[in-house]
Amino acid sequence: MASLPLPTVPSHSQLSLRRKLIGKPPHISYRVTCNADNVEKTPQQPKLDRRNLLLNISGLYGAANLIPPHAPPASATPISSPDLSTCAQGTNLNTQQPLDVNCCPPFSDKIIDYKLPHAAHLRLRPAAHLATEEYIAKYEKATELMKALPDDDPRSFMQQANVHCAYCNLTYDQTGDPSEKLQIHNCWHFYPWHRWYLYFYERILGKLIDDPTFAIPFWNWDNPDGMAIPAMFVKENSPLNDERRSQTHLPPSPADLLYSSTAKTDPNIIIPTNLTEMYGEMVRNVSNVEDFYGAKYVVGTAPDPGPGTVERGSHTALHVWVGDPRSPAGEDMGNFYSTARDPIFYSLHANVDRLWSVWRGLRGSKPKEFKEADWLNASFVFYDENAQLVRVRVKDTLEDVKMGFSYQKVELPWLDKRPKARVRRSKIASKASGVSNVFPVKLDKVVRVLVERPKTKRSGKEKEEEEELLVIEGIEVDTAKFVRFEVFVNDEDDEPGEVKDRAEYAGGYSQVPHKNSSKVKSKIRLGLTELLEDLDVEDDDKILVSLVPRAGGEDITIGGVKIIYV
Ligand code: C2O
């Protein structure tokens, strides 16, 4: 049975810190939660006081509208902020017992619609490997203060870490469809949700040290100079350090952005491979908005409909690469429920967030985001730096500067890493042997498929207008396990190896382990237009697709492979 989140008695210094923060303690009530197998919900009745209703109707409230927490969403379909009273404790995926923490946030029945404040100062997020001693001291101080906050303060380090657990380990029902769970990963909310999460984390830290310009650092893992875990995170006795990390991946090892069970160790392979991967995630594979952000996810959609390139690629690899293989579920970084207990999490994600801004900047006149109201109006809730529960929307996340932060400008060393054109590989498809066409198929070995191309010899204009996409669908995985597979086109090798500078590499799929509710069905789309040019096979009416398991293949099933034009 779950343990109760007992309010702890704050120490004197914690109390004075709290007073410094907000003047008086936030009004938070506690409730009993329950384990996921025996969900016994304890709905809290909203206080519909007349004042709130009037404010709501008149709209005269200026910066904030007090809204009852159970108000129906403005539109029926976008994901809307979870009802905190439906939060259920997550499950430890190894033991199937409740997690050792209850990651539900403290309950509050006052939610304010958040308005971006006018940003008087820009918070400039520095590259962690370039940060000054003075900056590092400041960040350490702020983190130490956050760790000293009482456990029941929604701004404490543990509560902040639990925010990730609550939104990512299926502890909330979807508001509007209690038969489906809320999961903000592996779908189009990955970037906006994490942007909000970091936003409040950063503001809480800034408030603790009284610095409205304080900005969190980003781990510049897409640049060879920044690929190792930044030094500030491995200093002994630093509040930024975490014991639970893979001991073989400490500096100076460069992060492996295609990390899998067959680990590479040679930096001369890892670094150029990383750059090929980043080029794929940021340029080659993301002609369409959906391929960068991830698949549509609205009320009624089952979790994990499909991750975007960075999420399923470098981002997932980093989580698992940093996590400690000695821990039962790869804690801290290697599992969604525990990942944000490692301070490096926020810097990993600051770089993901930075790449979002960079990608938008590279788009020129092409669409930079979804125009659908189902995306723009989706909402989430967070506690802000004043311990006030606020409702935020996706549409407010589009410009980092409007949110009051930006990133130190650094090189983009992957930008010109288009793999070299190779000799023509035409007719490889017709010579292929060991080809399978029976789906669903288990990926316990390399699976090779001949795939029909409905259109060949496409003109420059056609290619401009429509991207040719290889769709791998019905990907069924056990969400509790780390899995990874890679996709190659017209590769002559029976078991394609190195990705480095390999034009045949079309991309991959991997996922960070999280609560095992049921098997999920996901899909990915891989851009083919540039790849087919590089292989000089644009006239061929078939391509040979190799699906290569790299981790947990026995736990991956593929439902089908096809080509579409979007
Ligand atoms: Cu929310 Cu990198 O996970």
Side-chain angles (χ1 to χ4, degrees):
M1 189 56 207
S3 57
L4 307 184
L6 291 174
T8 47
V9 181
S11 69
H12 178 73
S13 65
Q14 286 168 335
L15 278 175
S16 63
L17 182 61
R18 171 183 274 175
R19 270 193 295 275
K20 192 175 145 209
L21 274 163
I22 50 164
K24 64 181 174 59
H27 170 75
I28 291 161
S29 54
Y30 292 87
R31 70 205 163 73
V32 180
T33 53
C34 38
N35 76 39
D37 302 329
N38 177 22
V39 177
E40 174 205 328
K41 283 162 189 166
T42 47
Q44 310 268 328
Q45 287 313 308
K47 282 192 197 118
L48 286 173
D49 84 35
R50 205 177 105 78
R51 184 176 142 267
N52 291 356
L53 283 176
L54 282 175
L55 290 169
N56 231 349
I57 294 161
S58 67
L60 282 175
Y61 197 56
N65 251 344
L66 284 169
I67 295 170
H70 298 254
S75 148
T77 46
I79 286 296
S80 62
S81 40
D83 176 347
L84 298 193
S85 72
T86 70
C87 184
Q89 189 166 358
T91 303
N92 181 314
L93 51 88
N94 281 44
T95 59
Q96 297 304 322
Q97 294 303 307
L99 292 174
D100 59 347
V101 289
N102 171 4
C103 59
C104 297
F107 183 79
S108 162
D109 59 2
K110 293 275 191 297
I111 308 180
I112 287 179
D113 259 345
Y114 192 72
K115 292 259 162 59
L116 285 174
H118 167 73
H121 320 269
L122 196 66
R123 298 168 191 259
L124 190 66
R125 296 181 178 171
H129 69 291
L130 302 174
T132 62
E133 283 306 314
E134 190 195 351
Y135 170 83
I136 294 169
K138 202 151 78 163
Y139 187 27
E140 285 171 346
K141 181 77 203 160
T143 306
E144 197 181 301
L145 291 171
M146 188 186 248
K147 288 187 170 180
L149 287 173
D151 286 349
D152 62 328
D153 188 315
R155 299 159 301 179
S156 71
F157 186 77
M158 203 52 187
Q159 288 291 348
Q160 286 294 300
N162 286 349
V163 169
H164 196 270
C165 172
Y167 270 99
C168 317
N169 282 68
L170 310 180
T171 61
Y172 292 125
D173 293 342
Q174 288 179 10
T175 303
D177 186 353
S179 71
E180 291 292 354
K181 291 288 182 186
L182 181 58
Q183 166 61 274
I184 51 72
H185 295 88
N186 301 310
C187 75
W188 67 1
H189 291 319
F190 174 72
Y191 287 99
W193 182 86
H194 285 86
R195 182 164 275 187
W196 278 122
Y197 183 27
L198 299 187
Y199 173 90
F200 291 114
Y201 185 77
E202 178 171 77
R203 294 176 75 88
I204 295 166
L205 290 168
K207 177 143 188 174
L208 284 164
I209 52 169
D210 236 338
D211 181 353
T213 67
F214 177 76
I216 54 173
F218 63 91
W219 175 9
N220 193 190
W221 40 258
D222 57 310
N223 184 325
D225 295 341
M227 277 174 192
I229 292 180
M232 69 171 84
F233 294 102
V234 294
K235 257 171 69 185
E236 244 178 279
N237 301 321
S238 164
L240 301 174
N241 202 339
D242 182 2
E243 290 301 307
R244 297 212 283 183
R245 289 186 190 140
S246 166
Q247 300 301 299
T248 53
H249 296 155
L250 298 177
S253 306
D256 179 353
L257 302 185
L258 287 92
Y259 183 63
S260 66
S261 48
T262 49
K264 305 171 267 307
T265 49
D266 181 356
N268 296 316
I269 306 242
I270 292 178
I271 293 172
T273 305
N274 285 351
L275 296 177
T276 303
E277 176 68 15
M278 289 317 299
Y279 177 80
E281 292 178 12
M282 293 292 287
V283 184
R284 190 184 188 78
N285 254 329
V286 283
S287 294
N288 287 292
V289 166
E290 172 176 339
D291 297 313
F292 183 73
Y293 284 90
K296 180 169 181 161
Y297 177 66
V298 292
V299 172
T301 311
D304 304 310
T309 52
V310 174
E311 178 177 12
R312 69 174 183 256
S314 50
H315 155 263
T316 290
L318 285 157
H319 272 277
V320 182
W321 183 81
V322 177
D324 193 341
R326 299 168 301 181
S327 315
E331 291 94 342
D332 286 327
M333 282 284 278
N335 196 289
F336 280 156
Y337 91 86
S338 54
T339 185
R341 298 177 189 179
D342 186 336
I344 203 172
F345 166 88
Y346 301 91
S347 287
L348 187 171
H349 269 276
N351 201 45
V352 168
D353 190 79
R354 176 186 144 263
L355 291 173
W356 181 15
S357 297
V358 167
W359 180 78
R360 292 175 60 90
L362 295 173
R363 293 293 279 174
S365 57
K366 289 195 192 157
K368 297 178 172 61
E369 70 253 343
F370 297 101
K371 301 288 178 226
E372 288 161 73
D374 284 342
W375 187 69
L376 294 165
N377 291 335
S379 64
F380 319 110
V381 289
F382 290 92
Y383 281 99
D384 72 4
E385 68 273 25
N386 302 314
Q388 170 63 55
L389 196 58
V390 295
R391 176 178 288 123
V392 296
R393 297 203 181 260
V394 165
K395 64 178 170 218
D396 286 329
T397 60
L398 304 180
E399 308 280 347
D400 51 14
V401 172
K402 277 198 193 138
M403 292 180 82
F405 67 90
S406 185
Y407 291 96
Q408 178 181 1
K409 292 273 169 290
V410 291
E411 303 272 290
L412 304 176
W414 38 263
L415 196 53
D416 61 351
K417 290 296 183 289
R418 180 171 177 171
K420 307 278 177 314
R422 305 207 163 200
V423 290
R424 183 173 162 79
R425 290 279 171 76
S426 185
K427 305 299 172 218
I428 189 168
S430 54
K431 286 187 283 175
S433 57
V435 167
S436 118
N437 57 0
V438 185
F439 288 100
V441 62
K442 198 186 254 279
L443 271 198
D444 50 1
K445 55 178 180 317
V446 177
V447 168
R448 288 146 70 83
V449 198
L450 272 181
V451 185
E452 207 82 43
R453 288 182 65 217
K455 300 178 189 177
T456 57
K457 305 189 177 93
R458 299 202 305 143
S459 70
K461 185 159 171 286
E462 282 172 292
K463 290 196 271 185
E464 227 357 84
E465 284 168 3
E466 278 186 337
E467 171 70 5
E468 183 164 354
L469 290 165
L470 182 65
V471 183
I472 318 285
E473 58 195 355
I475 303 171
E476 234 181 277
V477 296
D478 181 341
T479 62
K481 308 233 170 77
F482 171 55
V483 297
R484 175 171 175 85
F485 67 87
E486 288 164 9
V487 183
F488 296 82
V489 171
N490 281 17
D491 202 292
E492 63 201 346
D493 296 346
D494 282 344
E495 182 138 6
E498 250 170 57
V499 161
K500 171 168 81 82
D501 205 22
R502 197 184 194 96
E504 291 86 349
Y505 175 60
Y509 172 92
S510 62
Q511 59 130 34
V512 181
H514 53 288
K515 179 181 170 179
N516 178 16
S517 62
S518 57
K519 296 220 167 198
V520 300
K521 276 209 174 154
S522 210
K523 74 164 193 280
I524 58 171
R525 316 195 316 176
L526 308 166
L528 285 180
T529 303
E530 207 185 90
L531 180 150
L532 296 172
E533 283 173 11
D534 291 343
L535 299 184
D536 191 18
V537 293
E538 295 179 274
D539 296 353
D540 293 11
D541 55 7
K542 284 192 187 70
I543 55 170
L544 177 65
V545 173
S546 307
L547 305 168
V548 183
R550 299 291 193 201
E554 36 329 310
D555 293 306
I556 309 173
T557 304
I558 304 292
V561 181
K562 66 179 182 202
I563 288 177
I564 60 167
Y565 301 84
V566 178

